[in-house]
Amino acid sequence: MAATLEDYRDVVGLDVIEELRIVAAHVKHRRLQNINSTSVGGGVAEILTRMVPLLRELGIEASWDVIRGDEAFFQVTKAFHNALHGRVEEITAQMLDHYRATTASNLAQLNLDGDVILVHDPQPAGLILRKREIGRHWIWRCHIDVSTPDPRVWNFLKPYIEEYDAAIFSTPGFAQHLSVPQYMVTPSIDPLSEKNKELEERFIEEVLLKYHLDPDRPLITQISRFDRLKDPLGVIAAYRIARKRYPCQLLLAGGGASDDPEGEIVLREVQEQAASDPDIHVLLLPPFSDLEINALVRASTIVMQKSIKEGFGLTVSEALWKKKPVIGGAVGGIRLQIIDGVTGFLVHSSEGAGQRALQLLADPDMARRMGEDGHQHVKQNFLLTRHVKDYVLVMMALEHPDEDVVHLE
Ligand code: UDP
């Protein structure tokens, strides 16, 4: 069941809720249409599932549409995704044509009825072509790490992006040379969702039993789609370092996303690497395994997010919220969440991750302190209520394009 604003009061305090109501009143009844490329799997779907009901409760007519595409389209957009993250990909003229053709067919099918149209990530970015005809306010929301994008893909997308009224990035490090205003909005987690709410110990124990995990030995966990940019093999290498001194277990749990066609191949690579060690558990979770993921993180001693590139990495905040120290790649949005040495450790290699894991396993007191600090850091910066307020403020800013300061009457 969707949480109500009132439910968040106990978590974030009355002031935050009151302020949210006050700012939201200024954009009441506006239709905010979100458009992305998958309804399940990955961080964007995770956020929208929780955010849309809350926006509606605030009087904003939020909606969410998903574009359609065939397998070839999602292969093209996955190649874009990888190339924007700096990987070398072959991008052919035929692929660009397929992107354009899929954009055209979505434009023919989608009912673009928002006053503000919030388009998430590159897959649906081309929908902006309709703006010249229908007007409205259009925002391109980039969730990915574009700190070092492949210029061919970025230059293909840039003319689309510059038709928007504004672009939103997750950290200042992703800002681009664009002719349109850019806003920085960090993503968020929902403390009341099944993924993050408090759980009973008994349920956690049952989940451990179900997946044959030993409750009496340390558990290192990474929850991620099976994607090379999440570096699951690097996590295995780090675990092997820790394992030499501590009888720990490793859990790599993830599912697929309908817009990510590479998952199966990466999963197979991981399974091969893990096959020789019964203490490496590789779980392919079905969608909507939120309660179980919640339990698995709560049962963990250390959480890793050893990404090579990362737009934000909701999994980091999800773990910090549960008071787990997190070892994460020193990239993208992970750097905002892990304050090195305070809420976890930022690492640049598998060896580094392994050494930090050893350090945390040797010092449970330090691990506990980091977990506490991590929880506070998320509470202050990365909860859904702050995220909703930021979007409301961007909507207001777009309605006052010539004002540097918007005065609330
Ligand atoms: N997630 C999930 N099931 C999985 C793997 C991941 O529900 O099998 C969730 C994870 O808990 C997080 C989101 O999917 O909420 C992933 O978001 P993140 O920003 O970490 O990475 P993305 O997949 O968007 O690159």
Side-chain angles (χ1 to χ4, degrees), residues 126-348:
L127 297 176
I128 190 66
L129 294 175
R130 182 56 53 80
K131 184 182 173 206
R132 294 212 169 156
E133 190 186 315
I134 64 171
R136 325 282 178 77
H137 285 141
W138 290 70
I139 305 169
W140 186 60
R141 200 318 174 204
C142 178
H143 293 270
I144 62 183
D145 181 340
V146 284
S147 50
T148 54
D150 176 332
R152 286 170 313 156
V153 174
W154 181 252
N155 290 334
F156 171 74
L157 290 173
K158 193 173 168 185
Y160 292 119
I161 296 164
E162 291 195 322
E163 292 287 320
Y164 284 79
D165 295 285
I168 299 180
F169 296 95
S170 296
T171 94
F174 302 160
Q176 301 290 328
H177 290 289
L178 289 173
S179 58
V180 297
Q182 298 174 58
Y183 295 93
M184 194 197 95
V185 176
T186 49
S188 64
I189 63 159
D190 182 346
L192 302 180
S193 67
E194 296 206 327
K195 180 74 62 64
N196 297 309
K197 69 179 189 185
E198 297 279 345
L199 295 177
E200 284 186 14
E201 272 311 311
R202 250 199 36 216
F203 177 72
I204 299 173
E205 284 160 19
E206 280 167 20
V207 172
L208 284 179
L209 204 65
K210 174 174 171 188
Y211 290 114
H212 312 291
L213 291 156
D214 179 354
D216 298 324
R217 285 189 291 142
L219 177 63
I220 301 175
T221 298
Q222 175 160 298
I223 307 281
S224 273
R225 288 179 297 106
F226 290 98
D227 182 326
R228 292 199 180 89
L229 291 170
K230 309 284 184 185
D231 198 16
L233 299 182
V235 175
I236 293 180
Y239 151 82
R240 290 203 161 118
I241 293 171
R243 169 82 206 198
K244 282 188 193 147
R245 217 173 304 159
Y246 293 92
C248 49
Q249 315 161 80
L250 175 65
L251 169 65
L252 290 165
S258 59
D259 59 352
D260 178 3
E262 278 183 344
E264 274 178 43
I265 306 165
V266 179
L267 173 62
R268 271 201 299 278
E269 288 170 9
V270 172
Q271 282 167 332
E272 270 168 34
Q273 280 286 318
S276 59
D277 184 342
D279 280 327
I280 304 182
H281 301 257
V282 181
L283 291 184
L284 182 63
L285 295 169
F288 311 113
S289 303
D290 292 8
L291 278 175
E292 291 198 345
I293 291 175
N294 185 344
L296 291 167
V297 172
R298 286 185 189 276
S300 302
T301 319
I302 296 170
V303 170
M304 290 217 185
Q305 190 56 57
K306 221 204 98 15
S307 306
I308 292 162
K309 290 274 180 174
E310 190 63 79
F312 185 68
L314 290 179
T315 48
V316 175
S317 276
E318 287 166 1
L320 293 175
W321 182 248
K322 300 176 186 70
K323 303 188 178 173
K324 301 297 163 184
V326 182
I327 299 174
V331 292
I334 294 178
R335 302 174 72 104
L336 301 177
Q337 301 171 80
I338 298 182
I339 305 172
D340 197 25
V342 179
T343 66
F345 289 115
L346 290 170
V347 296
H348 300 83

